[in-house]
Amino acid sequence: MLCYCSKCGRIVQRTSKNLEKPCDYCGNSLKIVPNEFTAGGLGTCLEDDLEHQFINEYIKSSPEFDQYLFDHREEDLFNRRIQNMASLEHSKAILQGRDKGNKFGIECPYCHATNVSKITMTSKAVHTALFGLFAVGRNSKNYHCDHCGSDF
């Protein structure tokens, strides 16, 4: 069902389970949009031609109405989404180990340092050419720790 906030003017879709939840922007309690303003009386979206009438009659005429919140809610909600996405990306980087400049997202299993580098195929080929069969152990490794010098 369609609900509205009489303070900031936010109109949101709610189910009967989360009808009691407050406005996600200003925290005010939500009210149900009357069926006379919804498309076909179904309560799922506002009729285009009645939207301005609804805003004027129910939202802007409310004693709780705050013009500043009404004017800035979309911009503020957009900024919140951007901050949440940045926070999510940062958390993801921490989990993968990239927050300290480690583009591989791993750490050394021995000293737990994150400054590791990938052992290239060229390096493996040169090592095999120089050391022959003795290089087989190193060639099965993919990363080199720049802190403790171990290969893993």
Side-chain angles (χ1 to χ4, degrees), residues 20-21 42 44 49 53 71 85 101 117 128 130 147:
E20 300 299 319
K21 289 175 75 175
L42 298 175
T44 55
D49 54 339
Q53 180 184 351
D71 292 340
M85 287 174 47
S117 54
T128 302
L130 291 175
H147 184 258

Side-chain angles (χ1 to χ4, degrees), residues 70-151:
F70 182 79
D71 292 340
H72 294 90
R73 72 176 186 276
E74 296 303 322
E75 180 183 341
D76 290 346
L77 287 168
F78 176 77
N79 290 337
R80 283 185 196 175
R81 285 187 197 111
I82 296 295
Q83 288 173 344
N84 288 343
M85 287 174 47
S87 176
L88 181 65
E89 286 298 317
H90 180 68
S91 298
K92 196 173 170 184
I94 288 172
L95 286 173
Q96 294 175 349
R98 291 182 287 120
D99 63 318
K100 297 175 184 154
N102 180 348
K103 66 180 178 180
F104 306 111
I106 59 170
E107 65 178 30
C108 175
Y110 307 109
C111 69
H112 302 288
T114 56
N115 54 342
V116 297
S117 54
K118 191 162 182 65
I119 299 172
T120 63
M121 291 303 288
T122 306
S123 172
K124 288 180 182 184
V126 169
H127 209 71
T128 302
L130 291 175
F131 300 106
L133 290 175
F134 298 110
V136 173
R138 179 180 179 184
N139 285 348
S140 65
K141 312 294 182 182
N142 293 320
Y143 298 98
H144 175 78
C145 178
D146 297 329
H147 184 258
C148 71
S150 63
D151 296 325

Side-chain angles (χ1 to χ4, degrees), residues 19-82:
L19 191 59
E20 300 299 319
K21 289 175 75 175
C23 175
D24 58 347
Y25 176 60
C26 69
N28 195 32
S29 61
L30 296 176
K31 299 173 182 170
I32 298 172
V33 174
N35 283 339
E36 63 200 56
F37 292 100
T38 59
L42 298 175
T44 55
C45 63
L46 282 175
E47 285 280 356
D48 291 334
D49 54 339
L50 298 176
E51 184 174 358
H52 292 292
Q53 180 184 351
F54 171 75
I55 290 171
N56 288 329
E57 286 182 20
Y58 282 85
I59 296 173
K60 290 188 175 182
S61 65
S62 169
E64 301 173 311
F65 180 70
D66 185 330
Q67 186 68 45
Y68 180 83
L69 291 177
F70 182 79
D71 292 340
H72 294 90
R73 72 176 186 276
E74 296 303 322
E75 180 183 341
D76 290 346
L77 287 168
F78 176 77
N79 290 337
R80 283 185 196 175
R81 285 187 197 111
I82 296 295

